[in-house]
C-alpha cells in the first residue's frame, strides 16, 4: 500500500494504482480523451494532466499513467493544471473544430475558440489518441488497424491501407472512439 495526498485528502491505495483510478474512485473529475478502463493507458491526449509535488518539487504529469506513490501530493484542479488543459483544448479545437466531444470539454473550461490556426488539410476529427488501435489489439485481439506515417501525415489505417482480412467487424474501434469519427457503417 502507498499513502499520498489527493486534493488535500490523505489516502492509502494499492501500489501501482494510477492517480486517475484513485481520482475516479473519489468522484473527482479529470478530463480524458484517450483513456478507457478496459485498456492499457497510452498517455496520448495529455488532457488528464495533474500537478504532482514530489519531495517539494511540483511537476505536471498525466494522471492516467502516473502511479500513486508514498508522500506525493497531487492536485487535480490548480491554476497551472487548468491553464495546461485550456491550451490543449485550444489545440484540439484547432484540429477538430466540429468534434462535439471536444467542444463539450472545452466549454467546461470556458474555451470557446482557439488561437491556433490549422490548414484545412491539417484538420481531422481523429485526434490520434490510439484508443481504436488499442481496442482492436487488446479487446478484439485482431490488430487490424495501426498508426501509419509520421508528423503531420500521421494517421490510423489498416496494414498497407488495404481492407484488413483480420477485421471481423466487431466495431470495438467505433465504440471507443472519443470523437465519434469512426462511423458504424464505415466499420462494417
Ligand atoms: S487520458 Fe491521460 S493522456 Fe489521455
Amino acid at each position: 500500500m502507498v499513502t499520498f495526498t489527493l486534493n488535500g485528502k490523505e489516502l492509502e491505495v494499492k501500489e501501482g494504482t494510477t492517480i486517475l483510478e484513485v481520482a475516479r474512485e473519489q468522484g473527482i473529475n479529470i478530463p480524458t480523451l484517450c483513456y478507457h478502463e478496459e485498456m492499457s493507458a497510452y498517455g496520448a491526449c495529455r488532457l488528464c494532466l495533474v500537478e504532482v509535488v514530489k519531495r517539494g518539487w511540483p511537476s505536471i504529469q498525466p494522471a492516467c499513467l502516473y502511479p500513486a506513490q508514498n508522500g506525493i501530493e497531487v492536485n487535480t484542479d490548480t491554476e497551472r493544471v487548468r491553464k495546461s488543459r485550456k491550451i490543449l483544448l485550444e489545440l484540439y479545437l484547432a484540429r477538430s473544430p466540429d468534434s462535439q466531444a471536444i467542444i463539450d470539454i472545452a466549454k467546461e473550461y470556458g474555451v470557446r475558440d482557439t488561437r491556433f490556426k490549422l490548414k484545412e488539410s491539417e484538420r481531422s476529427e481523429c485526434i490520434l489518441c490510439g484508443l481504436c488501435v488499442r481496442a482492436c489489439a487488446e479487446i478484439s485481439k485482431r490488430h487490424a488497424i495501426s498508426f501509419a506515417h509520421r508528423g503531420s501525415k500521421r494517421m490510423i489505417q489498416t496494414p498497407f491501407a488495404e481492407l484488413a482480412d483480420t477485421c471481423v467487424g466487431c466495431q470495438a474501434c467505433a465504440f471507443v472512439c472519443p470523437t465519434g469519427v469512426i462511423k458504424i457503417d464505415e466499420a462494417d
Side-chain angles (χ1 to χ4, degrees):
M1 300 296 277
V2 295
T3 306
F4 79 110
T5 307
L6 181 62
N7 291 351
K9 182 177 175 186
E10 191 168 284
L11 297 167
E12 191 182 54
V13 300
K14 218 170 105 194
E15 197 167 351
T17 314
T18 64
I19 300 300
L20 183 62
E21 288 167 330
V22 184
R24 288 191 165 185
E25 270 168 32
Q26 295 291 316
I28 295 168
N29 179 37
I30 294 178
T32 64
L33 281 171
C34 75
Y35 179 80
H36 191 291
E37 55 193 22
E38 298 300 326
M39 287 178 265
S40 57
Y42 186 62
C45 76
R46 316 306 278 184
L47 214 52
C48 67
L49 293 175
V50 295
E51 188 174 69
V52 176
V53 184
K54 190 173 179 180
R55 291 186 212 103
W57 292 97
S59 63
I60 293 285
Q61 303 288 344
C64 67
L65 291 176
Y66 204 89
Q69 297 165 38
N70 270 327
I72 62 170
E73 280 171 42
V74 180
N75 297 301
T76 65
D77 199 24
T78 62
E79 194 51 44
R80 191 177 169 200
V81 165
R82 292 184 72 81
K83 214 170 175 177
S84 304
R85 289 181 189 156
K86 280 181 177 183
I87 291 171
L88 283 165
L89 286 163
E90 280 198 54
L91 286 165
Y92 283 125
L93 276 180
R95 180 179 172 87
S96 316
D98 301 322
S99 165
Q100 198 55 49
I102 291 169
I103 292 169
D104 289 346
I105 300 176
K107 253 191 217 161
E108 284 176 33
Y109 284 82
V111 177
R112 285 162 204 283
D113 207 354
T114 175
R115 288 165 286 176
F116 304 104
K117 302 288 169 227
L118 293 185
K119 290 184 216 143
E120 190 66 42
S121 60
E122 294 168 325
R123 293 184 190 162
S124 169
E125 275 192 62
C126 173
I127 58 166
L128 297 173
C129 70
L131 255 185
C132 55
V133 174
R134 279 176 287 143
C136 190
E138 296 179 24
I139 295 179
S140 309
K141 315 275 186 223
R142 305 310 297 180
H143 301 273
I145 47 175
S146 58
F147 284 104
H149 311 300
R150 288 176 187 277
S152 61
K153 292 198 166 60
R154 194 152 168 83
M155 61 166 70
I156 287 165
Q157 66 179 29
T158 54
F160 309 108
E162 287 171 9
L163 197 62
D165 53 11
T166 47
C167 174
V168 289
C170 69
Q171 301 172 359
C173 53
F175 182 74
V176 298
C177 176
T179 61
V181 67
I182 302 174
K183 302 287 183 272
I184 298 290
D185 335 352
E186 291 169 8
D188 279 340

